Amino acid sequence: GEYMDNADLNGAPVVVRDDPSIAFDWGVGTPAPRIPADRFSVRWTRDLELPQGAYRFVVQADDGVRLFVDNRPVIDQWESAGLRTFEGYLWLAAGAHSVRLEYREHVGNAMVQLSYGTLNVFHHWRGEYYANDSLAGAPVLVRDDPELRFEWGTAAPALGMPADNWSARWTRTLPLEAGRYRFTAGADDGLRLYLNDQCLID
């Protein structure tokens, strides 16, 4: 943990210490001697040995935070806006991964907490997002999407993804009664719909 006496991570840290975890609620107090109670910032860095899988990172903070994994942005909410909770997703290969969390306190209460874990259970749609237009290789991220109803415009579908030339695959098991069904899908650009591995729309 590198603690700065300003809100923008400028200059050399005033305090450097080995924080066992990132789970702080300083209230209106100060995180350490020589650090002001308002307008300070912190950078935490650590290497984590992780198995392969889909990961969800959760940060709760008052005020701004930025989270990077292997220098890839996962959460970018640097503005000061009170207590909020953010989630970011990544697919990680097995091995060591560098994690960096940056935090800034503006005024008032100061609080920051980081947690992470593998996403093994999907309650809705398992969304796999690829940084290419052919579903090739490993996904950039995997997340649990509540519904398939998106309109990104010219923006990227998620932080760390390109705005163009990307693809996604959503899968889900649905309990359906016997009967005649009509499936409707609309997209800009291409789509394919499968039911029990049978292609219904291409």
Side-chain angles (χ1 to χ4, degrees), residues 26-109:
W26 295 295
V28 295
T30 175
R34 300 170 57 201
I35 300 295
D38 292 318
R39 296 182 177 86
F40 68 87
S41 54
V42 191
R43 179 190 295 114
W44 289 279
T45 54
R46 184 175 183 176
D47 289 336
L48 295 173
E49 192 74 26
L50 299 173
Q52 176 178 287
Y55 283 82
R56 174 172 55 198
F57 295 83
V58 180
V59 178
Q60 188 176 27
D62 180 348
D63 292 297
V65 287
R66 293 189 295 230
L67 177 66
F68 302 84
V69 178
D70 298 329
N71 290 320
R72 289 188 289 176
V74 180
I75 295 171
D76 186 0
Q77 299 290 338
W78 198 235
E79 71 279 2
S80 299
L83 181 61
R84 296 166 297 164
T85 300
F86 307 103
E87 295 185 358
Y89 299 85
L90 275 181
W91 176 268
L92 296 177
H97 298 275
S98 64
V99 179
R100 181 173 86 250
L101 179 65
E102 299 175 346
Y103 167 77
R104 72 184 304 192
E105 157 63 4
H106 184 53
V107 293
N109 291 325

Side-chain angles (χ1 to χ4, degrees), residues 47-190:
D47 289 336
L48 295 173
E49 192 74 26
L50 299 173
Q52 176 178 287
Y55 283 82
R56 174 172 55 198
F57 295 83
V58 180
V59 178
Q60 188 176 27
D62 180 348
D63 292 297
V65 287
R66 293 189 295 230
L67 177 66
F68 302 84
V69 178
D70 298 329
N71 290 320
R72 289 188 289 176
V74 180
I75 295 171
D76 186 0
Q77 299 290 338
W78 198 235
E79 71 279 2
S80 299
L83 181 61
R84 296 166 297 164
T85 300
F86 307 103
E87 295 185 358
Y89 299 85
L90 275 181
W91 176 268
L92 296 177
H97 298 275
S98 64
V99 179
R100 181 173 86 250
L101 179 65
E102 299 175 346
Y103 167 77
R104 72 184 304 192
E105 157 63 4
H106 184 53
V107 293
N109 291 325
M111 183 270 190
V112 59
Q113 180 174 322
L114 168 66
S115 61
Y116 61 90
T118 54
L119 192 60
N120 297 317
V121 177
F122 295 84
H123 299 286
H124 307 289
W125 292 92
R126 177 189 171 105
E128 302 169 88
Y129 293 76
Y130 298 80
N132 58 73
D133 62 1
S134 56
L135 301 168
V140 173
L141 63 97
V142 179
R143 68 187 186 190
D144 192 356
D145 285 324
E147 61 177 346
L148 303 188
R149 188 181 298 274
F150 302 105
E151 187 165 347
W152 296 287
T154 58
L159 196 62
M161 285 284 294
D164 293 311
N165 297 312
W166 59 271
S167 54
R169 178 189 293 118
W170 291 276
T171 54
R172 184 175 187 177
T173 299
L174 293 172
L176 299 176
E177 298 179 355
R180 188 178 295 273
Y181 285 84
R182 176 169 58 192
F183 293 85
T184 303
D188 179 351
D189 293 308

